[in-house]
């Protein structure tokens, strides 16, 4: 009841060098009026010592409407409605990178007039206990300088490891629908 690859830039599936697999997807939220989406799900397969794949599914990776900006749930003012997910399967952790609809008129009458009506805002989360840890971190802002005049939606992400410096790198580019460019 969800989707992952909605556009050519999102990357909802990834596999690391150990063979661990990650799929992130948008989930249906049942029982709420006028809502068809909002939760972010993650399914991952971990390769066991015996070479078998053990699958696990985690729901509400974006905490179903308890985002850092407040708002009290899917469908409320500032509601979380995860969209356009991408997954990164690093050696240590599975990551979900997505954006949330942060609200605007008419869902949020208190939203400042100078702000975008949609407020697409990029976030990421990961299983802080590693593969199969079942403890996804509270969503973290991907853009620490985010201002409400931005409307970042479809994102393309990539992961790399620099052996020379022993550093992990994640790159993310988002289409900004408000200002007609990319971030």
């Amino acid at each position: 009841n969800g989707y992952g690859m909605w556009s050519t830039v999102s990357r909802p599936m990834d596999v690391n060098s150990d063979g661990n697999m990650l799929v992130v997807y948008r989930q249906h939220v049942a029982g709420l009026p006028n809502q068809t989406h909002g939760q972010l799900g993650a399914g991952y397969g971990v390769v066991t010592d015996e070479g078998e794949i053990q699958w696990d599914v985690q729901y509400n990776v974006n905490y179903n409407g308890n985002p850092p900006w407040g708002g009290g749930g899917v469908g409320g003012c500032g509601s979380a409605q995860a969209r356009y997910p991408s997954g990164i399967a690093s050696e240590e952790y599975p990551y979900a990178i997505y954006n949330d609809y942060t609200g605007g008129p008419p869902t949020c009458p208190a939203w400042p007039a100078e702000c975008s009506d949609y407020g697409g805002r990029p976030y990421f989360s990961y299983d802080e206990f590693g593969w199969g840890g079942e403890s996804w971190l509270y969503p973290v802002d991907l853009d620490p300088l985010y201002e409400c005049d931005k409307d970042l939606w479809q994102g393309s992400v990539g992961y790399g490891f620099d052996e020379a410096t022993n550093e992990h790198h994640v790159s993310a580019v988002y289409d900004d629908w408000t200002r007609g460019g990319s971030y």
Side-chain angles (χ1 to χ4, degrees), residues 69 100 102-103 111-112 114-123 141-152 176 178-179 183:
W69 60 85
D100 261 320
T102 58
W111 192 254
E114 68 273 10
C115 295
S116 161
D117 284 352
Y118 298 104
R121 189 170 186 170
Y123 284 87
D141 226 334
L142 193 62
D143 179 3
L145 302 177
Y146 181 87
E147 294 182 15
C148 64
D149 65 336
K150 295 179 184 177
D151 194 12
L152 306 173
D176 187 340
T178 303
R179 296 172 294 172
Y183 159 80

Side-chain angles (χ1 to χ4, degrees), residues 4 12 25 33 35-36 41 72 101 110 115 120 125 132 137 142 146 162 164 167 169 173 176:
Y25 49 91
Q35 296 299 319
T36 59
Y101 175 89
C115 295
S125 184
L137 185 71
L142 193 62
Y146 181 87
D162 184 347
E167 292 181 334
H169 298 277
V173 177
D176 187 340

Side-chain angles (χ1 to χ4, degrees), residues 2 13 17 23 28 50-51 56 59 61 63 68 70 74 86 89 96 106 111-112 131 137 143-144 165 180:
M13 300 174 71
S17 63
V23 178
H28 176 73
E50 294 79 31
D56 189 18
Y59 305 100
V61 170
Y63 286 87
V74 173
S86 291
W111 192 254
W131 286 93
L137 185 71
D143 179 3
T165 62

Side-chain angles (χ1 to χ4, degrees), residues 35-127:
Q35 296 299 319
T36 59
H37 55 276
Q39 298 174 5
L40 187 66
Y44 43 96
V46 179
V47 178
T48 66
D49 292 337
E50 294 79 31
E52 298 176 1
I53 297 177
Q54 181 179 0
W55 283 97
D56 189 18
V57 177
Q58 296 293 303
Y59 305 100
N60 288 340
V61 170
N62 66 328
Y63 286 87
N64 188 22
N66 294 316
W69 60 85
V74 173
C77 182
S79 64
Q81 296 182 19
R83 296 177 179 181
Y84 313 112
S86 291
I88 293 179
S90 80
E91 302 310 307
E92 293 83 19
Y93 306 102
Y95 291 88
I97 297 151
Y98 60 97
N99 80 341
D100 261 320
Y101 175 89
T102 58
T107 60
C108 188
W111 192 254
E114 68 273 10
C115 295
S116 161
D117 284 352
Y118 298 104
R121 189 170 186 170
Y123 284 87
F124 75 93
S125 184
Y126 67 97
D127 192 331

